[in-house]
Amino acid sequence: MIKRTQMGPVSKFLMGRIMDGQLIRAMACYYIDGLLIDSGPVHVAGELSEAFADIPIHTLVNTHHHEDHIGNNIWFQHNHDLGPALAHSLAVPIIEKRAGQDIPLPAYRVTTWGEPPASRARSIGPEIISENFRFTVLETPGHSPDHISLLEPQQGWLFAGDLYFGEKVIEIHMDEDPNIMLNSLMKLLRYDFEFLFCSSGKVLQENARQAIVAKIAFWEEERDKVRYLCKQGLEPEEISDRLYGPESPRFDRCNRELGKIHLVKAFIKGIQS
Ligand SMILES: [Fe+2]
């Protein structure tokens, strides 16, 4: 499924696979003035010709290397005559699937988003300039080491990829680092922005800064609780159970990659590092 929503000059393309009548783990690509931010999961490739028939694209940026963000790079490169996708230097060899960088995805991720084909990529510079806008590239690691965000300071737009999913997030992926994400969220507050465009499809049009402030406050409080209980001698599993209760059913559905235990373990690891 691809669903387009227009928000002034910004187009949001919500993309995801429908299984058993349900849209599963949809993500959003954003298009502004010739710039496409992320290319979506490969499972929607068959719908791209129609959805992007009237869209002139000159630049493709990947906010990070995850399969739902790079899956259609090759389609856009072939069908819109685009050069290499622009991404963080750490993402480039993964997107290109250079030797040793082609790590197999677990089955649930192949089912949900699909295996992205190799595509050409190049290290992004500090700025992206379109006909009418200038986007500052900000390194915002934590969700992944190669995560970037794009800020258009004149318009107050911040495209923050997968850095912000919501305020009270207690389930994270095994390879996310909330300690680093907290630093990235704090970094964003050094800039002026009013609108937060998230790859989850969420768009905060008011109070975007307050939403980030609230998320930082929530995670700092959770971090302190986790570390207090750790110092009391509780094991990570006990802490997770005491603070957040049992894992949701999707913990097992997601190959145990997304869960409360990962937040707890990462906050404990943060004490030791
Ligand atoms: Fe991601």
Side-chain angles (χ1 to χ4, degrees), residues 15-17 19 24-28 40-45 66-72 105-117 143 162 165 173 199 250 254 257-258:
M15 302 183 180
R17 193 171 195 191
M19 292 178 74
I24 50 165
R25 307 286 299 271
M27 66 79 65
V42 72
H43 282 322
V44 304
H66 286 160
E67 63 275 12
D68 47 332
H69 295 256
I70 67 167
N72 297 308
L105 294 175
Y108 91 91
R109 286 167 66 164
V110 175
T111 304
T112 307
W113 297 294
E115 188 79 56
H143 173 72
D162 279 343
F165 274 93
H173 289 92
S199 295
R250 70 176 177 179
C254 294
E257 282 195 347
L258 179 66

Side-chain angles (χ1 to χ4, degrees), residues 21 28 30 55 59 100 129 173 224-225 238:
Y30 293 96
I55 309 267
T59 305
I129 299 171
H173 289 92
D224 293 348
K225 285 190 232 169
E238 292 175 285

